[in-house]
Amino acid sequence: GKRRKSQQKMGIEQAILDKIKEDFADISQDQIDEYTDAFKLFDTDDSGKIDEHELQALMNKISGKNYHYSIEDIRRLIKAVDKNSDGEVDFYEFVLLMSKSNKSPDDELRDAFKVFDVDGDQSITCDEIMKVMKEMGQPIKKEEVKLIMDFVDLDGNQSIDFDEFKKMM
């Protein structure tokens, strides 16, 4: 449809799209469409490739005043994914990069669990919930935490393990 024309207009050849579908068996058309949209943000000259200057401009815009990416930083980033060694990132290489950063839903939940598991003992207590919520600017009363615990703490041990956390989510 319309998006496929857009992908080809940007210099993303059908052969590359076919290779992506072949090499990334679990990738959906929706994900490819999302990657296409993201790729367009970087590929400002519509060449079908992201060069070091395009990548540097966007990375520095994203990081704002917090960090300035030098051209050497950008070259290192590109080199890490540049399969054909042309010094640029084509759409296939971009998808490769993006797919590596996509975590499974279970991994995402584990990361969220770790945020609340302040002491790293594989369980979340009332105090840990209160501490994290306060740090996030969302203070919560002990009574509210007790309500959460009553609902989520299935084994009644006054803490939430990963399986209980997962069921809650």
Side-chain angles (χ1 to χ4, degrees):
K2 194 171 129 191
R3 187 176 295 270
R4 192 151 336 288
K5 282 192 180 83
S6 154
Q7 288 167 337
Q8 286 167 337
K9 190 187 101 211
M10 298 174 23
I12 300 171
E13 296 121 36
Q14 188 59 46
I16 292 176
L17 294 171
D18 291 343
K19 185 164 171 45
I20 288 167
K21 286 186 178 136
E22 188 180 307
D23 292 355
F24 303 92
D26 56 347
I27 197 168
S28 69
Q29 186 60 48
D30 285 345
Q31 281 175 302
I32 291 173
D33 293 345
E34 284 175 29
Y35 294 154
T36 301
D37 292 340
F39 189 83
K40 278 192 236 181
L41 291 174
F42 287 91
D43 183 21
T44 53
D45 66 0
D46 282 332
S47 67
K49 293 182 176 223
I50 301 167
D51 68 33
E52 58 193 28
H53 301 291
E54 290 170 321
L55 187 56
Q56 183 184 33
L58 192 66
M59 296 292 285
N60 283 329
K61 195 181 290 180
I62 291 169
S63 66
K65 291 178 177 63
N66 300 327
Y67 187 78
H68 177 76
Y69 289 88
S70 69
I71 204 71
E72 287 76 29
D73 294 331
I74 299 303
R75 285 180 184 144
R76 275 192 297 277
L77 279 173
I78 289 175
K79 195 173 183 176
V81 294
D82 188 13
K83 294 290 176 212
N84 61 5
S85 302
D86 66 354
E88 298 181 313
V89 178
D90 64 28
F91 188 65
Y92 180 85
E93 293 162 340
F94 184 76
V95 171
L96 184 66
L97 176 71
M98 297 303 282
S99 67
K100 280 183 183 168
S101 69
N102 274 352
K103 294 183 174 181
S104 72
D106 209 58
D107 288 340
E108 296 284 357
L109 278 178
R110 281 200 189 282
D111 289 347
F113 182 82
K114 286 177 191 165
V115 169
F116 287 93
D117 182 16
V118 178
D119 62 9
D121 69 351
Q122 306 305 308
S123 67
I124 301 171
T125 62
C126 283
D127 290 341
E128 286 173 317
I129 292 172
M130 289 176 65
K131 182 180 188 321
V132 172
M133 294 305 287
K134 186 177 179 190
E135 286 170 1
M136 293 167 79
Q138 302 284 326
I140 186 170
K141 293 185 179 86
K142 192 136 189 132
E143 298 76 41
E144 293 173 294
V145 178
K146 288 216 182 302
L147 287 173
I148 294 170
M149 291 300 259
D150 289 344
F151 181 69
V152 181
D153 179 21
L154 302 174
D155 61 12
N157 68 350
Q158 301 305 302
S159 68
I160 301 169
D161 63 29
F162 182 70
D163 287 329
E164 291 168 330
F165 183 80
K166 198 170 159 177
K167 285 184 180 114
M168 175 187 77
M169 302 310 270

